[in-house]
């Protein structure tokens, strides 16, 4: 208990899936949490379920003014900023030849530019609070090996991995005590996976469970446990790391997966 007591976190994409699980676990472990998302209905419900240590703010991570507002309101409401989980993301399907430029740009705007903007605006706020900080960027195993059928997503997550290392180095050079790490999950049982695999915009819990039964996947809480470790002072010397959480999927020989 209380592994992040006294800390204040922003979690993007917290209306659903992993972001919601991250926010819940950080709050259970003593943090005050700002949940942000485009999805107001589910984001507000998630914040309400946590209680007075949570605040929901509608937020488009591709919009720089939105980022300024989110950081300002976090400081006004909770008085400081220690943790940023850049989790919001979307996946678009398509190979290099059948992905249109608009879709490539949108995917990279959310998954990569959103992470850049988050780091850009959180770092000065964390520095002003003193006490260092932890930035956790959600990448994917798609950044570590080629995935021919999700070219835009793969490129965006590769950018997150490289950006994370550069941010970590910048913070070390500044000696500001802020760390920045990326997480690279394989399949996680969330609406995103179900939407992509079912080819529809909505997926029921039954559909998510059926897909997860066919393809090995972890739970959002498995990722949240790693987020908690990286957010806490227990990971004080972990900086610029690519934390892979994939049950050895990326080290297996290139044979069909079961
Ligand atoms: N599920 C997986 O298997 C998996 C694997 C590796 C990485 N990831 C990454 O984990 C993160 C969370 O994914 P998830 O599986 O929980 O998906 P999810 O679809 O359940 O949640 C993503 C959330 O991001 C929000 N979002 C999308 N665009 C946004 C924007 N412009 N501004 C603010 N919020 C926005 C959505 O509304 C949604 O609530 C994503 O970055 C995803 O790429 C997922």
């Amino acid at each position: 208990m209380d592994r992040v007591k006294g800390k204040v976190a922003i979690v993007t994409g917290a209306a659903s899936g992993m972001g919601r699980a991250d926010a819940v676990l950080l709050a259970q472990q003593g943090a005050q949490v700002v949940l942000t998302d485009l999805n107001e209905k589910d984001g507000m419900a998630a914040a309400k379920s946590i209680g007075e240590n949570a605040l929901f703010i509608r937020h488009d991570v591709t919009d720089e003014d939105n980022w300024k507002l989110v950081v300002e309101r976090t400081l006004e409401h909770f008085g400081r900023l220690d943790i940023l989980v850049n989790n919001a993301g979307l996946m678009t399907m398509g190979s290099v030849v059948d992905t249109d430029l608009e879709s490539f740009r949108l995917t990279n705007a959310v998954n990569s530019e959103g992470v850049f903007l988050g780091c850009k605006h959180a770092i000065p706020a964390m520095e002003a609070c003193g006490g260092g900080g932890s930035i956790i960027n959600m990448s994917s195993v798609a950044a570590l090996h080629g995935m021919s059928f999700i070219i835009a997503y793969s490129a965006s997550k590769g950018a997150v991995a490289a950006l994370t290392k550069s941010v970590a180095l910048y913070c070390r050079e500044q000696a500001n005590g802020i760390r920045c790490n990326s997480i690279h999950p394989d399949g996680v049982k969330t609406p995103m996976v179900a939407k992509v695999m079912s080819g529809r915009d909505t997926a029921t819990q039954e559909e998510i469970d059926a897909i997860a039964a066919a393809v090995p996947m972890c739970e959002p809480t498995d990722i949240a446990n790693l987020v908690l470790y990286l957010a806490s002072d227990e990971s004080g010397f972990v900086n610029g790391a690519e934390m892979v959480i994939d049950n050895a999927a990326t080290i297996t020989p290139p044979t069909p997966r079961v």
Side-chain angles (χ1 to χ4, degrees):
M1 289 292 284
D2 293 344
R3 288 168 64 189
V4 283
K5 192 173 172 58
K7 296 185 189 290
V8 175
I10 295 172
V11 181
T12 69
S16 172
M18 290 185 227
R20 184 175 182 146
D22 297 344
V24 167
L25 186 60
L26 288 168
Q28 280 171 357
Q29 291 292 333
Q32 293 173 303
V33 186
V34 174
L35 297 87
T36 82
D37 208 292
L38 277 178
N39 178 344
E40 285 184 74
K41 181 171 162 277
D42 293 341
M44 284 174 81
K48 196 172 170 201
S49 75
I50 293 172
E52 65 181 13
N53 283 331
L55 172 73
F56 173 75
I57 304 174
R58 189 193 180 279
H59 178 201
D60 179 350
V61 296
T62 67
D63 183 319
E64 186 157 19
D65 287 338
N66 265 208
W67 266 109
K68 289 179 187 163
L69 186 84
V70 164
V71 170
E72 269 170 34
R73 285 201 57 202
T74 300
L75 297 174
E76 273 166 26
H77 197 82
F78 288 129
R80 55 182 299 109
L81 177 62
D82 307 279
I83 299 160
L84 169 63
V85 185
N86 275 315
N87 165 81
L90 58 81
M91 183 187 275
T92 41
M93 306 291 285
S95 72
V96 63
V97 295
D98 55 31
T99 296
D100 59 52
L101 183 57
E102 192 185 349
S103 159
F104 186 91
R105 284 183 175 152
L106 174 66
T107 309
N108 280 271
V110 176
N111 295 358
S112 165
E113 288 179 21
V115 173
F116 157 68
L117 290 173
C119 296
K120 178 178 167 67
H121 291 286
I123 288 169
M126 288 175 175
E127 286 175 335
C129 295
S134 175
I135 299 173
I136 299 149
N137 295 332
M138 201 53 64
S139 181
S140 165
V141 293
L144 307 177
H145 56 196
M147 290 183 113
S148 58
F149 56 100
I150 46 171
I151 186 84
Y153 183 80
S154 185
S156 70
K157 293 301 186 180
V160 171
L163 181 141
T164 298
K165 287 183 172 51
S166 299
V167 170
L169 270 180
Y170 169 81
C171 290
R172 194 179 74 161
E173 286 159 11
Q174 299 301 308
N176 60 15
I178 300 170
R179 298 175 292 109
C180 185
N181 295 288
S182 55
I183 297 183
H184 301 256
D186 193 21
V188 188
K189 260 200 235 181
T190 70
M192 176 185 284
V193 162
K195 277 182 220 167
V196 168
M197 295 183 90
S198 69
R200 293 201 313 278
D201 273 349
T202 54
T204 63
Q205 190 57 48
E206 288 71 32
E207 286 170 325
I208 297 173
D209 291 342
I211 288 164
V215 184
M217 285 194 221
C218 70
E219 300 286 342
T221 48
D222 292 313
I223 309 299
N225 284 326
L226 181 54
V227 167
L228 174 63
Y229 167 70
L230 290 173
S232 77
D233 295 337
E234 296 157 25
S235 56
F237 214 63
V238 182
N239 192 17
E242 288 180 354
M243 308 291 280
V244 180
I245 182 159
D246 72 343
N247 193 23
T250 48
I251 58 166
T252 51
T255 51
R257 286 168 49 180
V258 286

